[in-house]
Amino acid sequence: MFQFMTATRIIFGEGALQSSLSVINQFGYSVLLVTGKDTQRATPIINYLKAQNMRYQHVAINGEPNITMVEETAVLGRKFQPDMVIAIGGGSVIDMGKALAAIIPNQGNVYDYVEVVGRNVPLKAKPIHFIAIPTTASTGSEVTRNAVLKSGQDKVKVSLRSPDMLADVAIVDPTLTYGTDQYTSGRGAMDAFTHLMEAYVCGEPNPLTDMVCEEGLRRLSRSVIAGCKQDNHKARSDLSFAALLGGMAITNAKLGAAHGLASALGGKLDAPHSVITARLAPHVMQENINAAKQAGRNDVINRYRKLAQLVTDRANANEHDGVLWVKMVLDKLELPLLGKFGVCQTSFEQVANDALKSVAIKGNPLPLNQERLVFILKQVCDCSGDCAAESTPHMSSVEVLESRSDLSSVNE
């Protein structure tokens, strides 16, 4: 038996944002708008809200969201009393918006509801309406039921999670990704790959997520270079669709050791989550293959072999060819090595222990002990003795850009 859940409504295609703005009116007339510091892509929404004489408060975040940011912004949100949250931006922006939609109507603090470092109690009240609009092809957060947040005091990343946090509407318009630089595009695409890969080989796949992952892997592998390096619009559309499918996959299957280790490293390094997962992916794949061979787990080997055949488009590809393909793409995209961010100066044993406490690692296709996780981290340490110091995560921030509450002057 299995179940499949996703956003209530998905609108996909070139021009989807401009043609779908009227869906906002279905959820009320008061909007908390969440963007990144670059607000240009949100202009159609802001113009629409003004034209409709809607109340709105616009907050912009800089960096990846943390628990303190959510708590402080939720206080503002409760005073404003929005009918809905609209988040337009990358995965961090959408996670911030999703968390605010969940926390604003709920009492207590965020630690009451988050996993691993918190009490992990269910949300008492349903989230307010939420519309997600990604401007990158990456996390698939527009169709996931969790928000990833940094816990500064614990130096880990954790999730606020509930089936009720799925978006009411996800608007995926590939034109919003046009012109994105190679670095942002590349790390986003490989984050989507890691979602598809881990969901495909995880310990709890199902026939529906298999279909989703296979289509996502086909589209991503054929378009990742053209989309990220050449800004090819057809390839960009493939990547947006693959990222969407990746979000669906991890909502309904499981993740694995790459995300488990990334959750542990993410609170300790000033490195984007997408770069961490991307650089971990081939080493986790190889270690899982090694462990599966030692354990006689042909089912796991067959999964990695099929994955390799999908991404290389070669019927005779073996399980190791998938690992080589990932390394080749990472090199072509010129994603930075983790040594640049000081990974080699972290305590590998502590990172491994933190990873073993994560929710993500429980979905790995077979158990990896601390020794194997430390071995993976040693493979990722690529600085050959010339290591950067451990980087301290930079301070994320949130800023209120505009609050349009009193409509009397507008209507006069």
Side-chain angles (χ1 to χ4, degrees), residues 75-363:
V75 171
L76 297 175
R78 291 185 188 111
K79 292 178 181 177
F80 185 71
Q81 296 184 322
D83 297 317
M84 74 196 86
V85 175
I86 300 175
I88 177 168
S92 292
V93 170
I94 293 177
D95 276 357
M96 180 70 172
K98 197 185 308 181
L100 288 171
I103 292 299
I104 285 172
N106 280 281
Q107 301 301 315
N109 61 50
V110 178
Y111 280 102
D112 291 332
Y113 305 106
V114 295
E115 300 169 342
V116 183
V117 299
R119 294 174 57 207
N120 196 25
V121 300
L123 296 174
K124 298 179 177 68
K126 282 199 170 186
I128 60 178
H129 294 296
F130 178 55
I131 299 175
I133 308 166
T135 59
T136 59
S138 54
T139 67
S141 183
E142 64 272 15
V143 289
T144 62
R145 56 178 172 167
N146 68 299
V148 178
L149 307 173
K150 285 184 178 179
S151 172
Q153 67 186 40
D154 301 289
K155 293 189 175 182
V156 293
K157 285 186 176 180
V158 295
S159 277
L160 172 65
R161 189 186 311 269
S162 169
D164 291 330
M165 290 172 62
L166 287 162
D168 293 281
V169 181
I171 302 173
V172 185
D173 185 342
T175 66
L176 297 175
T177 72
Y178 292 178
T180 306
D181 63 272
Q182 179 180 315
Y183 172 60
T184 303
S185 301
R187 64 185 177 89
M190 294 312 290
D191 191 30
F193 165 78
T194 309
H195 288 166
L196 292 162
M197 177 271 291
E198 291 210 306
Y200 192 58
V201 303
C202 77
E204 297 182 32
N206 65 64
L208 197 47
T209 56
D210 282 353
M211 291 170 57
V212 165
C213 290
E214 288 174 6
E215 181 64 15
L217 289 165
R218 287 190 195 97
R219 287 177 180 256
L220 188 144
S221 60
R222 77 189 184 197
S223 296
V224 62
I225 302 301
C228 298
K229 291 181 73 76
Q230 301 161 18
D231 200 28
N232 178 282
H233 290 180
K234 185 177 185 302
R236 289 279 192 191
S237 183
D238 267 350
L239 294 179
S240 290
F241 195 58
L244 174 71
L245 295 179
M248 289 181 181
I250 63 173
T251 299
N252 295 283
K254 299 291 183 181
L255 286 165
H259 276 82
L261 286 166
S263 69
L265 283 171
K268 299 174 176 63
L269 302 179
D270 186 17
H273 168 81
S274 51
V275 174
I276 297 174
T277 56
R279 281 296 176 185
L280 283 167
H283 302 288
V284 169
M285 292 168 68
Q286 186 61 61
E287 192 61 18
N288 277 338
I289 291 168
N290 294 342
K293 287 183 175 179
Q294 291 177 12
R297 290 286 303 276
N298 289 331
D299 58 322
V300 175
I301 300 298
N302 289 337
R303 281 271 163 174
Y304 278 107
R305 185 176 298 125
K306 176 62 175 176
L307 184 146
Q309 292 165 358
L310 288 166
V311 297
T312 64
D313 196 27
R314 286 175 26 225
N316 64 344
N318 64 42
E319 59 274 14
H320 300 290
D321 291 328
V323 178
L324 294 174
W325 179 88
V326 177
K327 291 180 177 180
M328 177 270 293
V329 172
L330 290 173
D331 288 344
K332 284 191 175 182
L333 294 176
E334 302 173 272
L335 290 188
L337 301 170
L338 294 188
K340 173 184 176 182
F341 301 101
V343 68
C344 309
Q345 300 301 314
T346 61
S347 167
F348 290 169
E349 289 76 14
Q350 183 61 55
V351 171
N353 284 336
D354 288 345
L356 287 169
K357 298 173 188 174
S358 71
V359 173
I361 205 167
K362 292 177 173 59

